[in-house]
Amino acid sequence: MPLPQPDDLTSLVLRTDFGDDRAWDAVRAALDAAGEYPHATYVSEPRFADVEVQALLDEEAAADEDAQIIHVFLADATTLREPGHPLLAVDLSDEPGRTFRLPARWFPDVSANLSIANMDFAEFADATDGSGTLRGFEEG
């Protein structure tokens, strides 16, 4: 079964941790508050509980080309428990399986730029710090 399709010009935010509904609500609120416009299509389906990146890659590889998506953001245990709610961004297309962390405050910028193909996944992943977290771009 292919991954759910995000709404137009939004990115798929897939819940993978189901241990704390209040934390999930807080993540969605933080993502919604970070931008002026909707940037997320939220999916909270138990079939994705604790899903591994490789399983998502396999699922997308088996999907029809028209049903494939190029990236997904996971709301995992780290997202739900850490301050800033850092999502796990996953490349499903160019460098399948490449990941980076993304605090909620940067989600609208990344989602918008990926959705309109203004920037590609690697540009964001290459701008991460030593912990693999995107903390924005240096003004220059």
Side-chain angles (χ1 to χ4, degrees):
M1 175 183 319
L3 291 173
Q5 292 293 310
D7 295 334
D8 286 344
L9 299 178
T10 68
S11 295
L12 185 64
V13 176
L14 188 65
R15 182 182 184 186
T16 66
D17 184 284
F18 290 83
D20 187 343
D21 288 339
R22 294 175 97 188
W24 170 239
D25 291 342
V27 168
R28 289 183 301 153
L31 293 173
D32 290 343
E36 188 175 338
Y37 304 102
H39 292 281
T41 297
Y42 300 109
V43 174
S44 178
E45 295 179 11
R47 76 179 180 106
F48 295 114
D50 301 317
V51 70
E52 297 289 330
V53 169
Q54 187 59 53
L56 296 174
L57 295 173
D58 293 345
E59 197 163 318
E60 279 304 279
D64 291 335
E65 190 172 322
D66 291 341
Q68 292 179 349
I69 59 175
I70 61 170
H71 63 274
V72 64
F73 295 89
L74 304 183
D76 59 5
T78 299
T79 307
L80 273 60
R81 93 173 157 260
E82 287 192 9
H85 302 296
L87 297 164
L88 183 66
V90 181
D91 187 344
L92 299 172
S93 179
D94 294 331
E95 295 178 64
R98 188 170 185 190
T99 64
F100 66 90
R101 286 274 170 197
L102 171 69
R105 69 178 287 224
W106 292 109
F107 177 76
D109 293 332
V110 174
S111 175
N113 279 291
L114 289 174
S115 294
I116 63 171
N118 186 50
M119 294 176 74
D120 62 28
F121 193 95
E123 290 177 272
F124 292 110
D126 290 345
T128 60
D129 65 14
S131 73
T133 302
L134 181 70
R135 305 220 186 259
F137 290 95
E138 301 260 338
E139 299 283 329

